[in-house]
Amino acid sequence: MDPREALRTLDEALARGLEAFARATTLEELEAAQVEVLGRRSPWAGVQRSLGALPAEDRRVVGRRANQVKEELEAALVARRAELERAAEAALLERDRIDVTLPGRRPRPGGLHPLTIVEQEIVDVFTRMGYRVVEGPLVETDWYNFTALNIPPDHPARTEKDTIFLDVPGHPELLLRTETSAMQIRAMERQPPPVYVIAPGRVFRQDTPDATHSPVFHQVEGLAVDEGISFSDLKGTLLAFAKALFGEETRVRMNPDYFPFVEPGAELEVSCFLCRGAGCRTCKGTGWIEMLGCGMVHPNVLRNVGYDPERYTGFAFGMGLERVTMVRYGIPDLRLFYEGDVRFLERFTGVGA
């Protein structure tokens, strides 16, 4: 490349470069123009590589002009980059601009889950009676879940059709608790009588989910052990509970029932708070709603924790939290509690707050 051609190439490179920089509308386009104008394969770079072949005097002239062209191009590049950065920042600010004169967007208020609402109400009723809340592990042993509660080895609840046993090497006795009754044993082991406790919590069964069953659900267990406790104390306690939860006009009745850990055992029904006993779809036309199982603590259960059944007596009761909530709010399908449907949960916004 002779000196005149080199100088002409540099002048053309300067003109094209200034035009390319001015034409770029984004920082990405500007970077591409920089590579095209000053990159290793650009005409300017070609002149630089050819300097060694020029005579000394021509090399000084062309080299000086090459440096001038580079300085002008770099100055134009810096100026254009600053312009584009200011434009990009202005566009970003415009996109994020907030009109302070617009009314604010009020966030959607949250609310308690219906199961939480009813559990808190139940716990509040019994704590006002002097009961205290106890909690325990979800993974239980055969002793606490079955044996200590006087459930015999051949009871159907012990089979894998009902109970979820855990596959832990060396610990065949471990299972997911099937009821919060296990907390009766743990509470009595920790203290001598009197004992007045309420135990809400999750339990697990081998159930297929449908409108009335779930493999995971919630129970609330109650236990009272003291000297001189009788069945009338049990009925009076549950009547006070039913009136507090469903209204002062609520009546209760007890039907004989069997549970291994109580003797005698009973099923508590409450008068339908919707139809007031006249009969409706909720109570299936009977005027009564089945609510919970209860009874006097079996002497064998007291012996298993070291209590003297000749001196102490007690009562226990247990209810399904989902069932109470379904009855309370007229919910037809238990699965609604766990599906997270906002349309369902919005019904309880502000309830129990």
Side-chain angles (χ1 to χ4, degrees):
M1 180 181 295
D2 62 51
R4 285 178 296 179
E5 182 182 355
L7 292 173
R8 186 176 63 255
T9 300
L10 291 173
D11 290 340
E12 292 174 353
L14 176 60
R16 284 199 302 270
L18 295 175
E19 182 183 356
F21 294 162
R23 192 169 56 245
T25 58
T26 65
L27 291 172
E28 290 76 14
E29 291 179 1
L30 185 63
E31 296 300 323
Q34 178 185 4
V35 172
E36 179 184 350
V37 173
L38 294 173
R40 294 175 58 186
R41 298 182 180 180
S42 65
W44 178 88
V47 172
Q48 285 285 89
R49 288 192 295 271
S50 69
L51 288 176
L54 297 174
E57 184 62 29
D58 294 336
R59 187 164 56 246
R60 283 194 297 271
V61 174
V62 174
R64 188 182 307 113
R65 180 55 179 163
N67 290 336
Q68 291 174 349
V69 169
K70 182 179 181 183
E71 291 174 358
E72 289 187 42
L73 288 174
E74 287 181 339
L77 177 67
V78 170
R80 185 57 176 163
R81 180 181 289 116
E83 291 178 6
L84 293 177
E85 287 177 347
R86 287 195 297 270
E89 184 176 357
L92 178 62
L93 292 174
E94 179 61 26
R95 287 196 301 270
D96 293 342
R97 186 171 62 88
I98 298 175
D99 185 354
V100 296
T101 65
L102 288 174
R105 295 185 178 92
R106 189 182 298 272
R108 176 185 293 178
L112 296 176
H113 193 279
L115 293 178
T116 302
I117 295 171
V118 175
E119 178 183 323
Q120 290 181 350
E121 290 182 359
I122 293 172
V123 169
D124 182 63
V125 170
F126 284 102
T127 52
R128 283 189 278 114
M129 294 184 189
Y131 288 70
R132 63 184 180 88
V133 178
V134 295
E135 296 179 338
L138 303 181
V139 175
E140 274 293 4
T141 65
D142 180 277
W143 167 257
Y144 288 106
N145 201 79
F146 293 126
T147 304
L149 290 169
N150 199 43
I151 298 177
D154 59 349
H155 194 280
R158 288 177 176 259
T159 67
E160 293 186 357
K161 291 183 179 180
D162 289 317
T163 301
I164 301 174
F165 290 92
L166 302 180
D167 185 12
V168 179
H171 295 279
E173 77 282 5
L174 294 181
L175 51 89
L176 295 179
R177 66 182 183 186
T178 60
E179 52 199 359
T180 50
S181 302
M183 286 309 301
Q184 292 184 27
I185 306 301
R186 291 186 176 274
M188 289 188 286
E189 282 182 342
R190 293 171 184 164
Q191 69 177 87
V195 177
Y196 293 88
V197 295
I198 189 86
R202 274 184 298 169
V203 295
F204 308 85
R205 302 275 177 87
Q206 292 276 26
D207 277 332
T208 301
D210 59 26
T212 57
H213 298 85
S214 172
V216 182
F217 57 103
H218 300 77
Q219 284 187 342
V220 180
E221 191 85 15
L223 172 70
V225 178
D226 205 344
E227 294 184 16
I229 287 183
S230 66
F231 199 91
S232 61
D233 296 314
L234 168 61
K235 184 174 182 180
T237 298
L238 295 181
L239 175 60
F241 159 70
K243 287 180 176 291
L245 196 65
F246 299 112
E248 283 298 321
E249 298 181 1
T250 304
R251 295 171 291 123
V252 300
R253 72 179 185 183
M254 291 176 155
N255 301 316
D257 207 338
Y258 170 75
F259 304 100
F261 35 84
V262 293
E263 180 59 40
E267 173 189 88
L268 180 82
E269 294 182 341
V270 299
S271 58
C272 182
F273 54 88
L274 294 177
C275 67
R276 299 302 176 187
C280 65
R281 190 168 70 174
T282 299
C283 63
K284 298 179 181 178
T286 65
W288 295 91
I289 299 173
E290 177 186 341
M291 191 54 56
L292 55 85
C294 58
M296 301 300 294
V297 178
H298 199 289
N300 288 343
V301 175
L302 297 175
R303 292 189 187 98
N304 286 336
V305 295
Y307 287 7
D308 182 2
E310 298 298 323
R311 178 180 178 184
Y312 297 107
T313 54
F315 62 75
F317 56 86
M319 67 191 84
L321 184 59
E322 281 81 356
R323 174 167 180 76
V324 176
T325 307
M326 291 172 74
V327 171
R328 176 77 178 276
Y329 294 115
I331 298 170
D333 195 321
L334 183 146
R335 290 169 292 193
L336 289 169
F337 292 128
Y338 306 110
E339 291 176 344
D341 191 327
V342 175
R343 295 169 299 179
F344 169 72
L345 297 176
E346 282 179 339
R347 293 174 49 188
F348 304 95
T349 300
V351 179

